[in-house]
Amino acid sequence: MTNQQQRRFEADIAGERAIEPQDWMPDDYRKTLIRQIGQHAHSEVVGMLPEGNWLTRAPSLRRKAILLAKVQDEAGHGLYLYSAAETLGCAREDLYRKMLEGRMKYSSIFNYPTLNWADIPVIGWLVDGAAIVNQVALCRTSYGPYARAMVKICKEESFHQRQGFEACVALANGSDEQRRMLQDAINRFWWPSLMMFGPDDARSPNSARSLAWKIKRHTNDELRQRFVDNTVPQVEALGMTVPDPDLAWDAASGHYRFGEINWTELNEVIAGRGICNHERLAAKRRAWDKGAWVREAALAWAEKQQRTDAA
Ligand code: FAQ
């Protein structure tokens, strides 16, 4: 590294010019991006499992077609993100193996079970809703390939969130049993959705540096507050309630105040001791092993093509 390279990097960050793969960057900036983009990619592909669980049981052909499209979109998001991570010089297979071995994280939210149909609309609405709040901010992240991947991903997440809310409206307008199912799903997914934004700012070891490098554009607590402010009126519009006795509108600040998050629960889930951690990783390991023949066949085909092209 020369002083000139370091100065140019800092000037690009200060001047809001995207850092591109061929540009010089500090080692820790590269490592932070590989960690965050890698975890983000793993979340997308592990996130297919709770919803995939309901593909064969969606209540109508229309709901099934929408869910199938959504789950496929999540696979696509994973692929864009693995590609963005690869521009930083890491191998996709290496990242993926680390996730399978429990050496890389994925979002805590996907370690909760989907117990009944109402969980699927609620995931679309709350989980994709939380993801959008975080990802809209990441459209302005300082690393070019990550920011560009986010633009397309946000468009699709926005469709996911709307289809989720529309399916929630159908349940809210349905029978007493359907309304009970919807409230139960909100009760189970509300707090885990708030946990998606990470630990509070005082206990977020990566935030200060990621904010200075403009990898993150807002703190965990700022984005969590934005999500609560966006979402509480939607819960009310559905005629449902938020499972938080401390939730209150604070006119002075123009924000909702909410109760303390169960940080022990978040830490336990992140540490691999959530309800579904074992099940999720086992499913991904099984898929990896079963897919070995596809990877071998693709490699053999590529080698054959290369020989043909060279001849
Ligand atoms: N779960 O210092 P911080 C989706 C880890 S959306 C698990 O605050 P940072 C769409 C964190 O990695 C979900 N781990 O960390 C979809 C760090 O660990 P490390 C994915 C968590 O990075 C919808 C440690 O705790 N979205 O998939 C969580 O500055 C429906 C300390 O935390 C993204 O990944 C958590 N909730 O901020 C798909 C967005 N929170 O590596 C399918 C991009 C924190 O130091 C179906 N990521 N940790 O050991 C980010 O914005 C950031 O990485 C944060 C965490 C905000 C998640």
Side-chain angles (χ1 to χ4, degrees):
M1 180 224 350
T2 63
N3 283 343
Q4 196 189 4
Q5 284 172 319
Q6 177 80 34
R7 273 200 304 276
R8 183 172 304 155
F9 172 81
E10 282 165 12
D12 283 344
I13 296 285
E16 302 281 332
R17 284 183 293 279
I19 307 298
E20 296 296 339
Q22 67 279 8
D23 293 339
W24 180 87
M25 60 188 85
D27 283 346
D28 283 343
Y29 176 85
R30 188 185 299 276
K31 278 191 201 141
T32 300
L33 279 168
I34 293 175
R35 175 184 67 78
Q36 179 168 323
I37 302 174
Q39 288 178 0
H40 196 163
H42 301 329
S43 304
E44 299 284 354
V45 297
V46 177
M48 295 164 71
L49 295 170
E51 288 172 294
N53 189 32
W54 280 86
L55 282 172
T56 53
R57 290 176 287 161
S60 68
L61 186 59
R62 176 169 174 266
R63 295 284 175 217
K64 188 176 179 135
I66 294 172
L67 187 59
L68 194 57
K70 178 183 189 302
V71 172
Q72 285 176 340
D73 284 352
E74 309 299 359
H77 298 174
L79 297 183
Y80 305 150
L81 286 162
Y82 286 122
S83 298
E86 282 187 314
T87 64
L88 291 155
C90 59
R92 179 182 304 218
E93 183 165 336
D94 181 49
L95 290 181
Y96 203 76
R97 280 184 188 279
K98 283 187 176 139
M99 185 265 288
L100 293 181
E101 289 162 12
R103 292 190 289 130
M104 262 185 101
K105 300 184 167 81
Y106 59 87
S107 182
S108 50
I109 189 72
F110 303 118
N111 292 308
Y112 291 85
T114 41
L115 302 178
N116 62 46
W117 167 254
D119 293 12
I120 302 306
V122 165
I123 287 180
W125 165 44
L126 294 184
V127 175
D128 287 79
I132 295 172
V133 168
N134 174 285
Q135 292 174 160
V136 163
L138 288 173
C139 291
R140 292 193 306 116
T141 191
S142 55
Y143 187 57
Y146 192 21
R148 289 190 287 275
M150 280 300 118
V151 173
K152 185 160 193 292
I153 289 177
C154 279
K155 287 188 182 148
E156 292 178 353
E157 297 288 26
S158 170
F159 157 73
H160 297 169
Q161 196 265 353
R162 277 151 206 245
Q163 69 79 31
F165 190 72
E166 191 260 347
C168 286
V169 170
L171 291 173
N173 291 335
S175 64
D176 287 348
E177 182 58 19
Q178 285 171 314
R179 273 190 292 277
R180 263 197 303 277
M181 275 168 63
L182 178 60
Q183 184 63 62
D184 172 58
I186 295 171
N187 292 349
R188 283 181 290 107
F189 280 96
W190 177 260
W191 289 106
S193 300
L194 264 54
M195 292 177 198
M196 287 173 69
F197 296 92
D200 61 14
D201 293 350
R203 279 173 293 185
S204 162
N206 299 300
S207 275
R209 208 166 49 170
S210 290
L211 286 163
W213 278 329
K214 298 184 180 168
I215 292 174
K216 285 169 86 163
R217 307 302 302 231
H218 300 279
T219 72
N220 297 355
D221 286 335
E222 282 166 1
L223 293 176
R224 187 169 12 247
Q225 182 69 57
R226 191 171 294 177
F227 172 73
V228 172
D229 290 343
N230 287 348
T231 313
V232 171
Q234 297 168 2
V235 180
E236 288 167 356
L238 290 170
M240 298 288 132
T241 56
V242 175
D244 178 358
D246 296 322
L247 184 84
W249 172 248
D250 176 19
S253 65
H255 294 293
Y256 284 94
R257 295 279 154 244
F258 53 94
E260 180 73 6
I261 288 171
N262 184 343
W263 299 117
T264 310
E265 179 179 322
L266 175 62
N267 292 338
E268 284 293 295
V269 178
I270 292 180
R273 293 186 288 272
I275 306 171
C276 297
N277 294 60
H278 284 291
E279 191 183 322
R280 300 295 183 234
L281 281 186
K284 282 292 162 198
R285 286 192 200 116
R286 234 179 2 255
W288 178 258
D289 292 343
K290 278 190 178 167
W293 71 271
V294 180
R295 293 190 297 279
E296 282 160 22
L299 200 63
W301 170 253
E303 282 167 359
K304 192 174 162 193
Q305 284 298 106
Q306 235 168 20
R307 279 197 303 275
T308 318
D309 290 349

